[in-house]
Amino acid sequence: MTSLLSAEPPAEPLPVRRTVEWVAAELRALLANGAMELPVPGHGLARRWRALAAWGRRDLALARLAEGHTDAVAILAEAGRKPETGALYGVWAAKSGGTGAVLDGGRLSGTIRFCSGLTTLDRALVAAGSRLVEVDLTAAGVVRHPEAWQALGMDASDSGDVVFDSVPVASDSVIGPPGWYVERPGFVFGGTGVAAVWLGGAAGVFDGVREVLRGNADDHQLAHFGALHTAIAAADALLAATAGVLEDAPDPGLLNDTCRASVEQAAREVLDRAPRITGPAPMCRDRGFAQRLADLQVFVRQHHGERDLAALGRRVLEVTQ
């Protein structure tokens, strides 16, 4: 069966206490050794999503920043541009609770939440209304608020709020015409790529459960474990199959939404069943296992639950009428 997940979990050990500094160092290493030079959408998605899933399986905070960098590079390529050599990029585009940035008279202003890589990244592609702009994060007027991030999950993703206080934006830093960012074909490909990271995160928790069960499992634990395997394998197979057809699909949005919903459902299965299999001991005595659960709980909520499922159901009805 074609799969995005390798047969074995990553061999690289994680630190006992993961920090922003560790994630930043690992991210710089990935950049330096070329590991983040992935095929851009339109030139084969399977290898791209396999790398994203592997990073998620290793550590979701690291994967969040790696995915953001590779997404930014793909966006620039789609616009016919190249990234600055040696720079780490992110994409900051959240519009949460009425916040957001605006571009007025060549100046960027406003607040964006959920910006990952606050102190780590060099540059960011920032959504400003209907425009997308490239920002040098060393520019005056870029004000970071890491204290806004209070979650234990994804705590090392270096996330928080960013306030842009009348930051100058040159005309050649504006990417594409109004609306281009969300209307381009790569917007869909990027959304499914995030689902590949979620899939890796779910597999990472599954790896931890497997270690707990080795040599000592009762039938109830095994039943839950089998259910987890089934859920992850089904989502994996769907993404792997979609990677081969999405770029030429007549309705890529439907495939993207289906993949994201499938992985989100698998992640919810993991979050529900894993603690029932293991009991409290590893959640209280194994920091890495507890961290993976907390990370997945936060990160998978980029899927908007029933709201996204309702949109998917509406789309299915429209295309089958």
Side-chain angles (χ1 to χ4, degrees):
M1 180 178 67
T2 303
S3 172
L4 298 182
L5 297 171
S6 63
E8 295 296 330
E12 304 94 332
L14 295 178
V16 174
R17 289 184 178 270
R18 182 192 62 185
T19 63
V20 169
E21 292 75 19
W22 177 84
V23 170
E26 291 295 304
L27 193 67
R28 291 284 176 189
L30 291 175
L31 182 66
N33 66 24
M36 290 196 291
E37 295 175 6
L38 303 181
V40 297
H43 297 276
L45 291 171
R47 179 174 159 237
R48 182 179 183 85
W49 292 354
R50 192 170 289 114
L52 294 174
W55 292 330
R57 193 174 186 178
R58 187 182 182 211
D59 181 74
L60 276 176
L62 174 62
R64 170 66 189 92
L65 297 185
E67 182 276 328
H69 173 83
T70 59
D71 187 38
V73 170
I75 292 169
L76 290 173
E78 199 167 1
R81 301 181 180 219
K82 292 184 178 181
E84 292 288 329
T85 302
L88 279 174
Y89 278 77
V91 181
W92 294 347
K95 296 178 181 179
S96 170
T99 61
V102 295
L103 184 64
D104 185 18
R107 292 188 173 269
L108 183 68
S109 300
T111 299
I112 296 185
R113 295 177 175 175
F114 302 109
C115 297
S116 296
L118 288 182
T119 64
T120 303
L121 303 181
D122 304 305
R123 306 180 74 83
L125 304 186
V126 178
S130 63
R131 307 304 295 266
L132 186 70
V133 298
E134 181 174 346
V135 178
D136 179 349
L137 297 179
T138 65
V142 179
V143 183
R144 301 161 177 82
H145 292 279
E147 74 282 357
W149 190 265
Q150 295 293 310
L152 299 179
M154 303 295 285
D155 61 341
S157 63
D158 194 20
S159 296
D161 295 358
V162 175
V163 176
F164 297 97
D165 185 8
S166 193
V167 177
V169 176
S171 59
D172 61 358
S173 293
V174 179
I175 302 172
W180 177 84
Y181 169 61
V182 296
E183 294 169 359
R184 65 196 167 85
F187 187 76
V188 170
F189 304 145
T192 322
V194 173
V197 179
W198 300 340
L199 177 67
V205 175
F206 181 84
D207 294 335
V209 173
R210 178 167 48 194
E211 290 305 308
V212 171
L213 293 184
R214 287 193 187 279
N216 183 25
D218 62 33
D219 285 346
H220 295 286
Q221 291 172 308
L222 291 172
H224 285 301
F225 191 61
L228 289 191
H229 165 76
T230 302
I232 292 172
D236 180 20
L238 177 61
L239 258 69
T242 300
V245 300
L246 184 62
E247 289 158 325
D248 298 316
D251 191 348
L254 177 58
L255 287 176
N256 166 69
D257 294 352
T258 304
C259 285
R260 286 172 65 90
S262 175
V263 178
E264 189 266 351
Q265 185 175 33
R268 282 192 290 110
E269 284 282 305
V270 168
L271 291 167
D272 175 51
R273 291 180 185 269
R276 293 159 68 185
I277 295 171
T278 65
M283 291 188 290
C284 300
R285 301 175 67 87
D286 183 339
R287 187 178 185 88
F289 182 77
Q291 188 70 65
R292 289 182 187 279
L293 280 171
D295 289 347
L296 184 60
Q297 175 81 21
V298 171
F299 196 7
V300 79
R301 289 279 51 88
Q302 283 192 345
H303 186 278
H304 301 111
E306 283 68 22
R307 185 177 295 110
D308 283 356
L309 290 173
L312 174 58
R314 187 175 301 111
R315 183 184 282 263
V316 171
L317 278 180
E318 290 171 352
V319 300
T320 55
Q321 285 178 348

